[in-house]
Amino acid sequence: DDDDDDDDDEFRFDFAKPPVQSADIGFRISTRLVPGDGGKRPTAQVTTSSTFSLPVERGWPRDILTTQDVASNMRDIIADRFPRYAAEHWGLELRGAPPQLRGLAGGWPKASDSESKAATLVAVAFPLSLLPPLLTLKLLDEGKGEVSPQKQSANNDDQQNKPKPKTGDDEDVEATDTEAKAMRNAVCFKLGGLLCAGSEEVLLKVSCDETEIKKIDGEERLDIRLKMSLSQLPVAGRGWAFVGCGGCWWWERYRLPPLRSLFESFHQMIHDQMMLFYIAGLRS
């Protein structure tokens, strides 16, 4: 027994690759309110982005990936993790989701299957029969989350009528006219529930793009830019449809702050933890 205790005291965790000095998080968030058409309520688009880093490993038989492969794998992992994180962050219960660590192929309800029940975020304090789910999620098939041709055409027309930005690195300006391109390979969830009442096209999109490989103190790291967007979200509930202001005050005061808090916290967690659990096994 004493020998077992000594072994426990000497236990240590050895990383496959030690964590690296991460790139600056560079967190950015922008919001845009879109007027409703045909008497519909205004909707909001929230776009966030940040950078995280992974240690690079080379030379082993398992190291066969490209930087794009790594970014795609991380996109799927992060998209699978976000609904679970949102439930924990807001003190809700996530129901109907696949087991953790199964990835997107692990059984998320598909939007293409009309008979499948959506995953739901519900308030634990209220019986499900008395309160509809606050949020429902269904995974869209790959490529189905792109901007519609009509919307993209309208976006391009709007951009042509606007003065060109002085610099090319302003994400707030680029978010509109490059939305289709930037999110073409994104993982997309179709959302519903009480928080989305009044809109049938609320989408959550997650994408990852490899940016560069850097060598710091003799160790390589891969920097990845994480982008997340929430689009077509009503700025307020149905009751505000009868108010002339359209509920924009409600959005700024009550809906945006919890969303901002969620996204900031999630991006910070990704920045701090991904390098502890994952590596970029790149082919030489």
Side-chain angles (χ1 to χ4, degrees):
D1 292 339
D2 293 338
D3 292 340
D4 292 339
D5 292 339
D6 292 339
D7 291 340
D8 292 339
D9 293 338
E10 295 174 359
F11 173 79
R12 66 175 185 173
F13 180 81
D14 292 325
F15 294 98
K17 287 286 293 184
V20 294
Q21 179 182 342
S22 180
D24 182 72
I25 187 171
F27 176 75
R28 304 186 70 171
I29 181 170
S30 64
T31 62
R32 183 164 59 95
L33 297 185
V34 182
D37 296 329
K40 294 183 179 179
R41 282 170 291 158
T43 59
Q45 176 172 325
V46 181
T47 303
T48 64
S49 63
S50 68
T51 299
F52 66 96
S53 304
L54 296 179
V56 172
E57 177 186 84
R58 300 181 191 268
W60 292 85
R62 64 189 177 192
D63 301 331
I64 59 174
L65 301 178
T66 65
T67 56
Q68 186 176 2
D69 293 333
V70 175
S72 296
N73 291 339
M74 296 309 300
R75 173 204 63 189
D76 293 351
I77 291 169
I78 292 171
D80 175 73
R81 190 167 183 178
F82 182 69
R84 310 176 197 277
Y85 187 90
E88 181 179 354
H89 183 83
W90 285 336
L92 303 175
E93 182 177 343
L94 177 63
R95 299 176 180 175
Q100 281 186 293
L101 305 179
R102 296 290 180 87
L104 293 177
W108 280 98
K110 295 290 187 68
S112 58
D113 184 1
S114 59
E115 296 183 359
S116 66
K117 293 184 178 180
T120 58
L121 284 173
V122 298
V124 184
F126 296 90
L128 186 61
S129 58
L130 297 181
L131 186 67
L134 294 176
L135 205 61
T136 65
L137 303 95
K138 277 194 170 186
L139 183 65
L140 287 177
D141 293 332
E142 187 173 355
K144 297 297 184 182
E146 297 182 19
V147 181
S148 64
Q150 295 83 357
K151 182 180 177 184
Q152 182 61 25
S153 176
N155 288 342
N156 291 338
D157 292 342
D158 289 343
Q159 288 302 308
Q160 290 176 0
N161 295 329
K162 291 181 181 179
K164 296 203 177 221
K166 294 181 181 179
T167 60
D169 58 354
D170 188 347
E171 290 185 2
D172 295 344
V173 175
E174 292 178 348
T176 301
D177 93 77
T178 62
E179 182 181 356
K181 181 178 179 181
M183 288 295 185
R184 184 172 292 117
N185 297 320
V187 169
C188 302
F189 284 98
K190 185 175 183 180
L191 307 184
L194 284 178
L195 295 179
C196 302
S199 177
E200 297 180 355
E201 300 180 357
V202 183
L203 295 180
L204 169 67
K205 300 181 182 182
V206 181
S207 72
C208 285
D209 298 309
E210 71 280 12
T211 57
E212 60 180 340
I213 296 177
K214 281 193 172 182
K215 201 165 187 178
I216 306 294
D217 297 331
E219 296 291 336
E220 286 184 302
R221 78 178 189 211
L222 173 63
D223 295 342
I224 299 176
R225 191 69 181 173
L226 167 63
K227 299 177 183 177
M228 306 180 70
S229 74
L230 193 60
S231 60
Q232 299 296 309
L233 182 68
V235 298
R238 293 184 182 275
W240 284 96
F242 303 101
V243 181
C245 65
C248 293
W249 171 85
W250 185 268
W251 162 259
E252 292 286 347
R253 188 172 181 87
Y254 292 106
R255 285 207 164 184
L256 180 57
L259 284 174
R260 184 189 299 273
S261 172
L262 169 64
F263 279 118
E264 285 184 354
S265 176
F266 183 73
H267 278 270
Q268 188 67 55
M269 182 272 295
I270 293 297
H271 177 267
D272 294 343
Q273 296 187 14
M274 288 298 101
M275 71 171 69
L276 304 180
F277 302 109
Y278 300 96
I279 61 173
L282 302 181
R283 62 190 181 196
S284 298

